[in-house]
Short mmCIF file of all heavy atoms in Angstrom, two decimals:
data_model
loop_
_atom_site.label_atom_id
_atom_site.label_comp_id
_atom_site.label_asym_id
_atom_site.label_seq_id
_atom_site.Cartn_x
_atom_site.Cartn_y
_atom_site.Cartn_z
N PHE A 179 -3.79 2.01 13.93
CA PHE A 179 -2.79 1.61 14.90
C PHE A 179 -1.92 2.77 15.38
O PHE A 179 -1.62 2.91 16.57
CB PHE A 179 -1.89 0.56 14.25
CG PHE A 179 -1.09 -0.33 15.18
CD1 PHE A 179 -1.70 -0.87 16.32
CD2 PHE A 179 0.20 -0.68 14.88
CE1 PHE A 179 -0.98 -1.73 17.15
CE2 PHE A 179 0.92 -1.55 15.72
CZ PHE A 179 0.33 -2.06 16.87
N ALA A 183 -1.59 4.26 19.00
CA ALA A 183 -0.29 4.44 19.67
C ALA A 183 -0.16 5.82 20.31
O ALA A 183 0.64 6.04 21.21
CB ALA A 183 0.85 4.22 18.68
N MET A 184 -0.98 6.76 19.83
CA MET A 184 -0.96 8.09 20.41
C MET A 184 -2.17 8.33 21.33
O MET A 184 -2.47 9.46 21.68
CB MET A 184 -0.90 9.15 19.30
CG MET A 184 0.33 9.05 18.39
SD MET A 184 1.89 8.93 19.31
CE MET A 184 1.92 10.55 20.09
N LEU A 215 -0.24 12.03 10.07
CA LEU A 215 0.05 11.23 11.26
C LEU A 215 0.59 12.03 12.46
O LEU A 215 0.35 11.65 13.60
CB LEU A 215 0.99 10.07 10.90
CG LEU A 215 0.37 8.98 10.06
CD1 LEU A 215 1.42 7.96 9.60
CD2 LEU A 215 -0.72 8.26 10.81
N ARG A 342 -6.82 -25.60 -9.74
CA ARG A 342 -6.95 -24.59 -8.70
C ARG A 342 -5.97 -23.44 -9.00
O ARG A 342 -4.88 -23.68 -9.52
CB ARG A 342 -6.60 -25.12 -7.32
CG ARG A 342 -7.64 -25.98 -6.66
CD ARG A 342 -7.64 -25.78 -5.17
NE ARG A 342 -8.52 -24.64 -4.83
CZ ARG A 342 -8.85 -24.36 -3.55
NH1 ARG A 342 -8.39 -25.05 -2.54
NH2 ARG A 342 -9.63 -23.31 -3.30
N TYR A 344 -4.74 -19.45 -7.10
CA TYR A 344 -4.85 -18.66 -5.87
C TYR A 344 -4.52 -17.21 -6.09
O TYR A 344 -3.68 -16.87 -6.94
CB TYR A 344 -3.91 -19.18 -4.80
CG TYR A 344 -4.23 -20.57 -4.27
CD1 TYR A 344 -3.57 -21.69 -4.74
CD2 TYR A 344 -5.21 -20.73 -3.28
CE1 TYR A 344 -3.84 -22.96 -4.25
CE2 TYR A 344 -5.48 -22.00 -2.77
CZ TYR A 344 -4.80 -23.10 -3.26
OH TYR A 344 -5.08 -24.33 -2.78
N SER A 354 11.10 -0.87 7.27
CA SER A 354 11.04 0.31 8.15
C SER A 354 10.69 1.54 7.32
O SER A 354 11.19 1.70 6.20
CB SER A 354 12.36 0.52 8.84
OG SER A 354 12.29 1.70 9.62
N GLY A 355 9.82 2.37 7.85
CA GLY A 355 9.45 3.58 7.12
C GLY A 355 8.22 3.37 6.24
O GLY A 355 7.78 4.28 5.56
N PHE A 357 4.14 2.07 5.99
CA PHE A 357 2.95 1.76 6.75
C PHE A 357 1.68 1.93 5.89
O PHE A 357 0.56 1.95 6.41
CB PHE A 357 2.83 2.63 8.02
CG PHE A 357 3.26 4.07 7.80
CD1 PHE A 357 2.39 4.97 7.18
CD2 PHE A 357 4.53 4.49 8.15
CE1 PHE A 357 2.77 6.30 6.95
CE2 PHE A 357 4.92 5.83 7.93
CZ PHE A 357 4.06 6.71 7.34
N ARG A 360 -0.60 -1.16 5.97
CA ARG A 360 -1.30 -1.21 7.25
C ARG A 360 -2.45 -0.22 7.26
O ARG A 360 -3.60 -0.54 7.63
CB ARG A 360 -0.32 -0.88 8.40
CG ARG A 360 -0.97 -0.90 9.78
CD ARG A 360 -0.02 -0.49 10.88
NE ARG A 360 0.44 0.86 10.81
CZ ARG A 360 -0.30 1.96 10.96
NH1 ARG A 360 -1.61 1.82 11.11
NH2 ARG A 360 0.23 3.15 10.94
N TYR A 387 -5.72 -15.56 -0.14
CA TYR A 387 -5.12 -15.45 1.19
C TYR A 387 -4.50 -14.07 1.38
O TYR A 387 -3.89 -13.54 0.42
CB TYR A 387 -4.02 -16.48 1.36
CG TYR A 387 -4.51 -17.89 1.57
CD1 TYR A 387 -4.58 -18.79 0.52
CD2 TYR A 387 -4.97 -18.30 2.81
CE1 TYR A 387 -5.02 -20.07 0.70
CE2 TYR A 387 -5.44 -19.60 3.01
CZ TYR A 387 -5.49 -20.48 1.94
OH TYR A 387 -5.93 -21.74 2.14
N ARG A 391 1.48 -9.64 8.44
CA ARG A 391 2.52 -9.74 9.49
C ARG A 391 1.96 -9.66 10.88
O ARG A 391 0.97 -8.98 11.16
CB ARG A 391 3.62 -8.70 9.27
CG ARG A 391 3.21 -7.25 9.32
CD ARG A 391 4.26 -6.38 8.66
NE ARG A 391 5.59 -6.54 9.29
CZ ARG A 391 6.09 -5.67 10.14
NH1 ARG A 391 5.45 -4.58 10.48
NH2 ARG A 391 7.26 -5.86 10.67
N TYR A 394 1.25 -6.52 13.27
CA TYR A 394 0.11 -5.64 13.05
C TYR A 394 -1.19 -6.20 13.67
O TYR A 394 -2.11 -6.59 12.98
CB TYR A 394 -0.14 -5.43 11.55
CG TYR A 394 0.83 -4.55 10.81
CD1 TYR A 394 0.75 -4.36 9.43
CD2 TYR A 394 1.86 -3.86 11.46
CE1 TYR A 394 1.64 -3.57 8.74
CE2 TYR A 394 2.76 -3.06 10.77
CZ TYR A 394 2.61 -2.91 9.41
OH TYR A 394 3.48 -2.13 8.71
N ARG A 431 -4.19 -14.92 6.98
CA ARG A 431 -3.23 -15.73 7.64
C ARG A 431 -2.17 -14.87 8.31
O ARG A 431 -1.66 -13.94 7.68
CB ARG A 431 -2.52 -16.67 6.65
CG ARG A 431 -3.32 -17.88 6.27
CD ARG A 431 -3.40 -18.86 7.42
NE ARG A 431 -4.31 -19.96 7.08
CZ ARG A 431 -3.91 -21.10 6.49
NH1 ARG A 431 -2.63 -21.30 6.19
NH2 ARG A 431 -4.78 -22.03 6.22
N ILE A 432 -1.88 -15.18 9.57
CA ILE A 432 -0.91 -14.34 10.31
C ILE A 432 0.47 -14.94 10.19
O ILE A 432 0.71 -16.15 10.41
CB ILE A 432 -1.33 -14.27 11.80
CG1 ILE A 432 -2.78 -13.81 11.95
CG2 ILE A 432 -0.39 -13.33 12.57
CD1 ILE A 432 -3.11 -12.45 11.35
N ALA A 433 1.41 -14.08 9.82
CA ALA A 433 2.79 -14.47 9.67
C ALA A 433 3.41 -14.63 11.05
O ALA A 433 2.73 -14.52 12.09
CB ALA A 433 3.53 -13.46 8.86
N ALA A 434 4.72 -14.87 11.13
CA ALA A 434 5.32 -15.14 12.41
C ALA A 434 6.65 -14.46 12.63
O ALA A 434 7.56 -14.99 13.27
CB ALA A 434 5.43 -16.64 12.61
N GLY A 435 6.77 -13.24 12.06
CA GLY A 435 7.92 -12.43 12.43
C GLY A 435 9.20 -12.66 11.65
O GLY A 435 10.28 -12.32 12.11
N SER A 448 5.87 -20.29 3.63
CA SER A 448 5.37 -20.04 4.96
C SER A 448 3.83 -20.31 5.02
O SER A 448 3.35 -20.92 5.94
CB SER A 448 5.68 -18.59 5.38
OG SER A 448 5.22 -18.33 6.65
N LYS A 452 5.59 -24.20 6.09
CA LYS A 452 6.99 -24.61 6.18
C LYS A 452 7.86 -23.48 6.68
O LYS A 452 7.37 -22.36 6.91
CB LYS A 452 7.47 -25.06 4.79
CG LYS A 452 6.66 -26.17 4.19
CD LYS A 452 7.09 -26.43 2.78
CE LYS A 452 6.13 -27.38 2.07
NZ LYS A 452 6.21 -27.19 0.61
N ARG A 453 9.17 -23.76 6.81
CA ARG A 453 10.14 -22.69 7.06
C ARG A 453 10.06 -21.75 5.87
O ARG A 453 9.88 -22.16 4.75
CB ARG A 453 11.55 -23.24 7.14
CG ARG A 453 11.82 -24.06 8.38
CD ARG A 453 13.07 -24.92 8.18
NE ARG A 453 14.30 -24.11 8.18
CZ ARG A 453 14.95 -23.78 9.26
NH1 ARG A 453 14.53 -24.15 10.44
NH2 ARG A 453 16.07 -23.06 9.20
N GLY A 454 10.21 -20.46 6.14
CA GLY A 454 10.11 -19.48 5.05
C GLY A 454 11.40 -19.39 4.26
O GLY A 454 12.06 -18.36 4.21
N ALA A 512 8.65 9.40 6.95
CA ALA A 512 8.86 8.87 8.30
C ALA A 512 10.25 9.18 8.85
O ALA A 512 11.08 9.75 8.15
CB ALA A 512 8.60 7.40 8.31
N GLY A 513 10.46 8.77 10.07
CA GLY A 513 11.74 8.96 10.70
C GLY A 513 11.83 10.32 11.34
O GLY A 513 10.87 10.82 11.92
N ASN A 514 13.00 10.93 11.21
CA ASN A 514 13.23 12.23 11.82
C ASN A 514 12.69 13.36 10.92
O ASN A 514 13.43 14.05 10.22
CB ASN A 514 14.74 12.39 12.03
CG ASN A 514 15.08 13.57 12.92
OD1 ASN A 514 14.25 14.48 13.11
ND2 ASN A 514 16.27 13.61 13.48
N GLN A 550 16.72 7.35 3.71
CA GLN A 550 16.73 5.99 3.21
C GLN A 550 15.40 5.76 2.51
O GLN A 550 14.35 5.86 3.13
CB GLN A 550 16.95 4.98 4.34
CG GLN A 550 17.15 3.56 3.78
CD GLN A 550 17.45 2.50 4.80
OE1 GLN A 550 17.01 2.62 5.95
NE2 GLN A 550 18.16 1.47 4.43
N TRP A 596 27.65 3.19 11.03
CA TRP A 596 26.81 2.42 11.93
C TRP A 596 25.55 1.92 11.21
O TRP A 596 25.16 0.78 11.35
CB TRP A 596 26.39 3.26 13.18
CG TRP A 596 25.31 2.61 13.94
CD1 TRP A 596 23.96 2.87 13.90
CD2 TRP A 596 25.43 1.46 14.83
NE1 TRP A 596 23.26 2.00 14.68
CE2 TRP A 596 24.12 1.12 15.26
CE3 TRP A 596 26.53 0.70 15.31
CZ2 TRP A 596 23.89 0.06 16.14
CZ3 TRP A 596 26.28 -0.35 16.17
CH2 TRP A 596 24.98 -0.66 16.57
N PHE A 600 24.33 -1.79 10.63
CA PHE A 600 23.00 -2.26 10.97
C PHE A 600 22.34 -2.98 9.82
O PHE A 600 21.69 -3.99 9.99
CB PHE A 600 22.15 -1.06 11.46
CG PHE A 600 20.76 -1.51 11.83
CD1 PHE A 600 20.49 -2.12 13.04
CD2 PHE A 600 19.68 -1.37 10.94
CE1 PHE A 600 19.21 -2.55 13.37
CE2 PHE A 600 18.41 -1.81 11.25
CZ PHE A 600 18.18 -2.41 12.48
N GLU A 608 17.95 -11.84 9.56
CA GLU A 608 16.74 -12.20 8.84
C GLU A 608 17.02 -13.16 7.66
O GLU A 608 16.05 -13.63 7.04
CB GLU A 608 16.01 -10.97 8.34
CG GLU A 608 15.53 -10.05 9.47
CD GLU A 608 14.47 -10.72 10.34
OE1 GLU A 608 13.81 -11.66 9.86
OE2 GLU A 608 14.33 -10.33 11.53
N LEU B 84 -7.79 -26.68 7.58
CA LEU B 84 -7.17 -25.60 6.82
C LEU B 84 -6.11 -26.14 5.85
O LEU B 84 -5.53 -27.20 6.09
CB LEU B 84 -6.49 -24.59 7.75
CG LEU B 84 -7.36 -23.88 8.77
CD1 LEU B 84 -6.48 -23.01 9.67
CD2 LEU B 84 -8.39 -23.02 8.06
N GLU B 85 -5.87 -25.39 4.78
CA GLU B 85 -4.76 -25.72 3.90
C GLU B 85 -3.49 -25.21 4.59
O GLU B 85 -3.47 -24.05 5.05
CB GLU B 85 -4.89 -24.97 2.58
CG GLU B 85 -6.08 -25.40 1.74
CD GLU B 85 -6.10 -24.63 0.41
OE1 GLU B 85 -6.11 -23.39 0.38
OE2 GLU B 85 -6.15 -25.29 -0.65
N GLY B 86 -2.45 -26.03 4.68
CA GLY B 86 -1.20 -25.59 5.31
C GLY B 86 -1.42 -25.05 6.70
O GLY B 86 -1.19 -23.89 6.99
N ALA B 88 0.04 -25.37 9.65
CA ALA B 88 1.09 -25.32 10.67
C ALA B 88 1.15 -23.98 11.41
O ALA B 88 1.18 -23.96 12.64
CB ALA B 88 2.47 -25.66 10.03
N LEU B 89 1.18 -22.87 10.67
CA LEU B 89 1.30 -21.58 11.34
C LEU B 89 0.07 -21.26 12.21
O LEU B 89 0.24 -20.84 13.34
CB LEU B 89 1.65 -20.44 10.36
CG LEU B 89 3.12 -20.09 10.32
CD1 LEU B 89 3.98 -21.26 9.92
CD2 LEU B 89 3.40 -18.91 9.43
N HIS B 93 0.35 -20.53 16.21
CA HIS B 93 -0.17 -19.30 16.83
C HIS B 93 -1.16 -19.63 17.94
O HIS B 93 -1.14 -19.03 19.00
CB HIS B 93 -0.87 -18.44 15.77
CG HIS B 93 0.07 -17.58 14.97
ND1 HIS B 93 0.87 -16.61 15.56
CD2 HIS B 93 0.33 -17.53 13.65
CE1 HIS B 93 1.59 -16.04 14.62
NE2 HIS B 93 1.27 -16.57 13.44
N GLY B 123 12.09 -27.55 12.80
CA GLY B 123 12.64 -26.56 11.91
C GLY B 123 11.68 -25.40 11.67
O GLY B 123 12.07 -24.23 11.60
N PHE B 127 12.28 -21.44 13.04
CA PHE B 127 12.56 -20.48 11.99
C PHE B 127 11.96 -19.11 12.29
O PHE B 127 12.53 -18.07 11.91
CB PHE B 127 11.96 -20.97 10.65
CG PHE B 127 12.27 -20.09 9.47
CD1 PHE B 127 13.47 -20.18 8.82
CD2 PHE B 127 11.36 -19.12 9.04
CE1 PHE B 127 13.79 -19.34 7.75
CE2 PHE B 127 11.64 -18.30 7.97
CZ PHE B 127 12.86 -18.40 7.32
N TYR B 128 10.85 -19.08 13.00
CA TYR B 128 10.09 -17.85 13.17
C TYR B 128 10.33 -17.20 14.53
O TYR B 128 10.24 -17.86 15.57
CB TYR B 128 8.59 -18.13 13.02
CG TYR B 128 8.27 -18.63 11.61
CD1 TYR B 128 8.10 -19.97 11.33
CD2 TYR B 128 8.16 -17.71 10.54
CE1 TYR B 128 7.80 -20.45 10.07
CE2 TYR B 128 7.84 -18.17 9.27
CZ TYR B 128 7.69 -19.52 9.01
OH TYR B 128 7.41 -19.97 7.74
N HIS B 129 10.63 -15.89 14.52
CA HIS B 129 10.90 -15.16 15.77
C HIS B 129 9.74 -15.21 16.72
O HIS B 129 9.88 -15.13 17.93
CB HIS B 129 11.19 -13.68 15.47
CG HIS B 129 12.34 -13.47 14.55
ND1 HIS B 129 13.60 -14.00 14.80
CD2 HIS B 129 12.48 -12.80 13.36
CE1 HIS B 129 14.43 -13.65 13.84
NE2 HIS B 129 13.77 -12.92 12.96
N GLU B 130 8.52 -15.30 16.17
CA GLU B 130 7.32 -15.16 16.96
C GLU B 130 7.11 -16.34 17.94
O GLU B 130 6.50 -16.19 18.97
CB GLU B 130 6.11 -15.04 16.03
CG GLU B 130 4.75 -14.86 16.69
CD GLU B 130 4.58 -13.59 17.48
OE1 GLU B 130 5.39 -12.67 17.37
OE2 GLU B 130 3.62 -13.58 18.29
N ARG B 145 13.67 -1.58 16.64
CA ARG B 145 15.07 -1.28 16.36
C ARG B 145 15.29 -0.88 14.91
O ARG B 145 16.41 -0.75 14.47
CB ARG B 145 15.90 -2.54 16.58
CG ARG B 145 16.20 -2.91 18.02
CD ARG B 145 17.34 -3.93 18.07
NE ARG B 145 18.61 -3.34 17.70
CZ ARG B 145 19.69 -4.06 17.33
NH1 ARG B 145 19.62 -5.36 17.21
NH2 ARG B 145 20.84 -3.45 17.03
N ALA B 146 14.22 -0.73 14.14
CA ALA B 146 14.39 -0.50 12.71
C ALA B 146 14.83 0.94 12.45
O ALA B 146 14.87 1.79 13.34
CB ALA B 146 13.14 -0.88 11.94
N GLU B 147 15.15 1.21 11.18
CA GLU B 147 15.82 2.46 10.83
C GLU B 147 15.05 3.73 11.22
O GLU B 147 15.66 4.68 11.71
CB GLU B 147 16.10 2.50 9.32
CG GLU B 147 17.22 1.57 8.87
CD GLU B 147 16.73 0.16 8.58
OE1 GLU B 147 15.60 -0.18 8.98
OE2 GLU B 147 17.48 -0.60 7.95
N ALA B 148 13.75 3.74 10.98
CA ALA B 148 13.01 4.97 11.28
C ALA B 148 13.12 5.28 12.79
O ALA B 148 13.35 6.45 13.16
CB ALA B 148 11.54 4.83 10.89
N GLN B 150 15.51 4.29 14.71
CA GLN B 150 16.93 4.66 14.97
C GLN B 150 17.19 6.12 14.65
O GLN B 150 18.03 6.77 15.26
CB GLN B 150 17.86 3.78 14.15
CG GLN B 150 17.95 2.38 14.68
CD GLN B 150 19.29 1.72 14.31
OE1 GLN B 150 20.31 2.41 14.27
NE2 GLN B 150 19.27 0.46 14.03
N SER B 151 16.45 6.64 13.64
CA SER B 151 16.70 8.04 13.23
C SER B 151 16.34 9.02 14.38
O SER B 151 16.76 10.16 14.33
CB SER B 151 15.89 8.37 12.00
OG SER B 151 14.53 8.62 12.34
N LEU B 152 15.61 8.54 15.39
CA LEU B 152 15.29 9.39 16.53
C LEU B 152 15.77 8.79 17.83
O LEU B 152 15.16 9.00 18.88
CB LEU B 152 13.80 9.71 16.53
CG LEU B 152 13.39 10.77 15.47
CD1 LEU B 152 11.89 10.78 15.24
CD2 LEU B 152 13.83 12.17 15.87
N TYR B 184 11.34 -5.47 14.57
CA TYR B 184 11.78 -4.72 13.40
C TYR B 184 10.56 -4.17 12.70
O TYR B 184 10.06 -4.80 11.80
CB TYR B 184 12.69 -5.56 12.53
CG TYR B 184 14.00 -5.94 13.22
CD1 TYR B 184 14.12 -7.12 13.94
CD2 TYR B 184 15.08 -5.06 13.24
CE1 TYR B 184 15.28 -7.44 14.62
CE2 TYR B 184 16.25 -5.38 13.89
CZ TYR B 184 16.35 -6.57 14.59
OH TYR B 184 17.51 -6.86 15.25
N CYS B 185 10.12 -3.06 13.16
CA CYS B 185 9.07 -2.24 12.56
C CYS B 185 7.66 -2.65 12.96
O CYS B 185 7.23 -3.75 12.75
CB CYS B 185 9.18 -2.20 11.03
SG CYS B 185 8.26 -0.80 10.38
N LEU B 186 6.98 -1.66 13.54
CA LEU B 186 5.58 -1.80 13.89
C LEU B 186 4.69 -1.00 12.95
O LEU B 186 3.48 -0.91 13.12
CB LEU B 186 5.36 -1.29 15.32
CG LEU B 186 5.90 -2.17 16.44
CD1 LEU B 186 6.10 -1.35 17.70
CD2 LEU B 186 5.00 -3.34 16.69
N GLY B 187 5.32 -0.37 11.93
CA GLY B 187 4.53 0.46 11.04
C GLY B 187 4.09 1.74 11.70
O GLY B 187 3.08 2.35 11.29
N LEU B 188 4.83 2.16 12.74
CA LEU B 188 4.49 3.42 13.40
C LEU B 188 5.64 4.41 13.19
O LEU B 188 6.04 5.13 14.11
CB LEU B 188 4.32 3.13 14.93
CG LEU B 188 3.22 2.14 15.30
CD1 LEU B 188 3.28 1.81 16.79
CD2 LEU B 188 1.85 2.70 14.95
N CYS B 189 6.13 4.44 11.96
CA CYS B 189 7.40 5.07 11.66
C CYS B 189 7.31 6.62 11.65
O CYS B 189 8.31 7.29 11.54
CB CYS B 189 7.92 4.60 10.32
SG CYS B 189 7.70 2.82 10.12
N HIS B 191 5.95 7.99 14.18
CA HIS B 191 5.94 8.28 15.61
C HIS B 191 7.11 7.58 16.30
O HIS B 191 6.96 7.00 17.36
CB HIS B 191 4.61 7.82 16.23
CG HIS B 191 3.43 8.56 15.78
ND1 HIS B 191 2.48 8.04 14.91
CD2 HIS B 191 3.01 9.84 16.04
CE1 HIS B 191 1.55 8.96 14.66
NE2 HIS B 191 1.84 10.05 15.30
N GLU B 200 -0.52 -3.15 23.49
CA GLU B 200 -0.74 -1.71 23.36
C GLU B 200 0.42 -1.03 22.60
O GLU B 200 1.53 -1.05 23.05
CB GLU B 200 -0.86 -1.09 24.76
CG GLU B 200 -1.34 0.33 24.73
CD GLU B 200 -1.16 1.04 26.06
OE1 GLU B 200 -0.91 0.37 27.07
OE2 GLU B 200 -1.20 2.29 26.06
N PRO B 201 0.06 -0.44 21.45
CA PRO B 201 1.11 0.26 20.70
C PRO B 201 1.42 1.62 21.31
O PRO B 201 0.55 2.24 21.94
CB PRO B 201 0.48 0.45 19.32
CG PRO B 201 -1.00 0.54 19.60
CD PRO B 201 -1.25 -0.35 20.80
N GLY B 203 3.69 5.33 20.57
CA GLY B 203 4.55 6.16 19.71
C GLY B 203 5.26 7.22 20.52
O GLY B 203 4.85 7.51 21.65
N TRP B 204 6.30 7.76 19.89
CA TRP B 204 7.11 8.82 20.53
C TRP B 204 7.50 8.43 21.97
O TRP B 204 7.29 9.18 22.93
CB TRP B 204 6.37 10.15 20.50
CG TRP B 204 6.35 10.79 19.13
CD1 TRP B 204 7.29 10.53 18.15
CD2 TRP B 204 5.44 11.73 18.57
NE1 TRP B 204 6.98 11.29 17.02
CE2 TRP B 204 5.85 12.02 17.26
CE3 TRP B 204 4.31 12.38 19.09
CZ2 TRP B 204 5.17 12.91 16.43
CZ3 TRP B 204 3.62 13.26 18.25
CH2 TRP B 204 4.05 13.55 16.92
#
Side-chain angles (χ1 to χ4, degrees):
Chain A
F179 200 43
M184 299 311 294
L215 289 173
R342 282 216 87 170
Y344 292 99
S354 178
F357 40 79
R360 180 183 66 64
Y387 286 99
R391 62 198 302 258
Y394 287 176
R431 280 289 173 92
I432 308 300
S448 181
K452 303 174 190 156
R453 291 163 70 86
N514 191 342
Q550 189 177 28
W596 167 261
F600 179 79
E608 297 296 337
Chain B
L84 299 175
E85 294 182 304
L89 262 59
H93 277 299
F127 183 83
Y128 297 98
H129 301 306
E130 180 64 15
R145 282 195 73 199
E147 287 87 346
Q150 287 207 35
S151 78
L152 284 163
Y184 295 92
C185 200
L186 288 159
L188 301 171
C189 320
H191 294 108
E200 191 193 346
W204 286 336

